[in-house]
Amino acid sequence: MLKGVMFDFSGTLFRVESTAEWLDGVLADAGQVLGAAERAGLVRRLEWFGALPGGVAPSEVPAGLQELVDTRDLTPELHRAAYTGLTRAAELPDGVSAEHLYDRHMSPSAWAPYPDAGPTLRELRRRGIPVAVVSNIGWDLRPVFREHGLDPLVDAYLLSYELGAQKPDPRIFLAGCEALGLAPQDVLMVGDHLEADGGATALGCAFHQVPHLPVAERPAALSPLLDLLPS
């Protein structure tokens, strides 16, 4: 019987703002205005290279960046270097900084919970089912949960950059199960990525996949997992 749940972060419980919103926030902070055509072109280039962490996946990784991208979630330094590299590949105009863009994506205000994230976590807490967040990430996401009032509903955070292992490495899932005090066969992993998050099945965990969509387009993908858990 399932007794605990591990959740992915980005694309599962939360979604980062759109690339356009991300860029506009930085432009506003810098007091800079781009013409409509220039702004639209820059948004397209940023999305082409997957420059926004948690946003659109890259269509192209520039030469020399692939290894960095593949290992980006192992340390904060690798994560920053990978994403600022992808951002610079988009050919930023004068006055728009890759470092400023990177820093913005770590702000709690850049992230929004999916509509059913809070209700689902609260129901799990009511049932006495422990919860861990297991994320491939290069920075501390705990302030995002605190800002949105969800931190009290999470029992443990297993972050790749703190563990030195990234999904689908079984070590990160095993650490999650151990933090919950449960055997893998008693734990459900919930995530949007079949390969990375679904890697938990190698340990014997169950897996529930959700689609990685903008918040407004995914109102109730988490709620069905409650039917898989004891009431």
Side-chain angles (χ1 to χ4, degrees), residues 161-185:
Y161 82 94
E162 293 179 336
L163 295 173
Q166 60 186 33
K167 298 178 289 186
D169 189 324
R171 289 178 294 170
I172 194 169
F173 300 114
L174 183 58
C177 293
E178 290 174 346
L180 296 177
L182 296 170
Q185 60 266 27

Side-chain angles (χ1 to χ4, degrees), residues 17-41:
E17 62 190 348
S18 70
T19 306
E21 291 168 327
W22 178 53
L23 174 61
D24 287 345
V26 167
L27 292 173
D29 288 345
Q32 187 169 355
V33 177
L34 298 181
E38 184 179 10
R39 173 186 173 276

Side-chain angles (χ1 to χ4, degrees), residues 26-230:
V26 167
L27 292 173
D29 288 345
Q32 187 169 355
V33 177
L34 298 181
E38 184 179 10
R39 173 186 173 276
L42 181 53
V43 168
R44 285 194 299 270
R45 296 194 302 277
L46 289 167
E47 291 189 339
W48 177 261
F49 289 109
L52 172 59
V56 177
S59 296
E60 177 186 351
V61 175
L65 282 183
Q66 188 63 61
E67 183 177 357
L68 197 57
V69 168
D70 290 342
T71 59
R72 66 189 182 276
D73 296 313
L74 292 175
T75 72
E77 294 77 17
L78 289 171
H79 196 269
R80 179 179 287 271
Y83 280 106
T84 54
L86 293 170
T87 300
R88 292 187 184 98
E91 299 178 2
L92 301 175
D94 291 342
V96 179
S97 162
E99 295 290 342
H100 193 173
L101 282 162
Y102 182 84
D103 289 341
R104 177 177 173 83
H105 102 274
M106 295 186 290
S107 168
S109 62
W111 295 85
Y114 283 96
D116 58 347
T120 299
L121 291 174
R122 283 190 285 272
E123 176 59 18
L124 292 173
R125 180 51 51 98
R126 186 193 70 78
R127 297 184 189 184
I129 295 172
V131 166
V133 171
V134 180
S135 178
N136 282 353
I137 197 164
W139 50 276
D140 187 5
L141 53 73
R142 294 173 183 87
V144 176
F145 282 78
R146 289 196 291 268
E147 177 72 17
H148 293 278
L150 299 183
D151 179 63
L153 305 175
V154 177
D155 298 286
Y157 295 92
L158 292 307
L159 309 183
S160 60
Y161 82 94
E162 293 179 336
L163 295 173
Q166 60 186 33
K167 298 178 289 186
D169 189 324
R171 289 178 294 170
I172 194 169
F173 300 114
L174 183 58
C177 293
E178 290 174 346
L180 296 177
L182 296 170
Q185 60 266 27
D186 294 330
V187 177
L188 173 66
M189 176 67 204
V190 182
D192 64 294
H193 198 285
L194 182 59
E195 179 182 357
D197 299 315
T201 59
L203 286 180
C205 297
F207 176 56
H208 178 82
Q209 188 174 13
V210 295
H212 188 147
L213 294 170
V215 165
E217 297 176 24
R218 211 197 76 187
L222 294 170
S223 302
L225 72 87
L226 294 172
D227 294 333
L228 305 175
L229 296 154

